[in-house]
Amino acid sequence: MVGSQAAAGFIIRDHNGSPIVAGTRNLGENTISVAKALALHDAFAKVKGFKDICVEGDTKFVIDSILNKCRTPWRLKTIIDDIRLLARSFSSISWSHVFWE
């Protein structure tokens, strides 16, 4: 259900865990899933030039949608399709769900 103010954020780290790029965006009224998917989309747009990446996200539903493990809701379809397209630019990519701390 839409009705809450949402913001998206991301941090991209190197293999040592040191931040390389970070960003945020105000999304107005939106769902958590849309905010998380847009944050991932923004992150992918910033990591051009990298070949091998590991994606860790705290929203299992978004990761499962990207990996076609569940049905993608219409509200996320365009964003998820675009993430899948951006993911093709990497030589290797691993996906994992991590619990938010």
Side-chain angles (χ1 to χ4, degrees):
M1 173 170 64
V2 176
S4 298
Q5 294 293 314
F10 65 89
I11 299 173
I12 300 169
R13 301 177 188 274
D14 66 13
H15 64 283
N16 294 317
S18 299
I20 299 171
V21 178
T24 61
R25 180 164 45 143
N26 182 345
L27 299 169
E29 288 191 14
N30 238 311
T31 65
I32 292 170
S33 294
V34 168
K36 298 293 186 167
L38 286 171
L40 179 57
H41 183 274
D42 288 351
F44 269 35
K46 301 275 184 179
V47 293
K48 293 185 184 217
F50 289 83
K51 295 292 180 195
D52 305 306
I53 65 168
C54 174
V55 176
E56 295 179 340
D58 65 354
T59 307
K60 187 173 183 341
F61 177 71
V62 170
I63 293 171
D64 285 350
S65 292
I66 293 165
L67 298 175
N68 286 315
K69 291 184 177 181
C70 65
R71 191 171 187 189
T72 304
W74 66 268
R75 186 179 299 264
L76 292 175
K77 183 155 179 30
T78 302
I79 303 165
I80 297 296
D81 287 347
D82 206 27
I83 290 170
R84 289 178 185 142
L85 183 64
L86 290 167
R88 292 181 190 161
S89 67
F90 301 100
S91 297
S92 71
I93 185 168
S94 63
W95 302 87
S96 60
H97 171 252
V98 295
F99 291 97
W100 184 76
E101 295 182 22

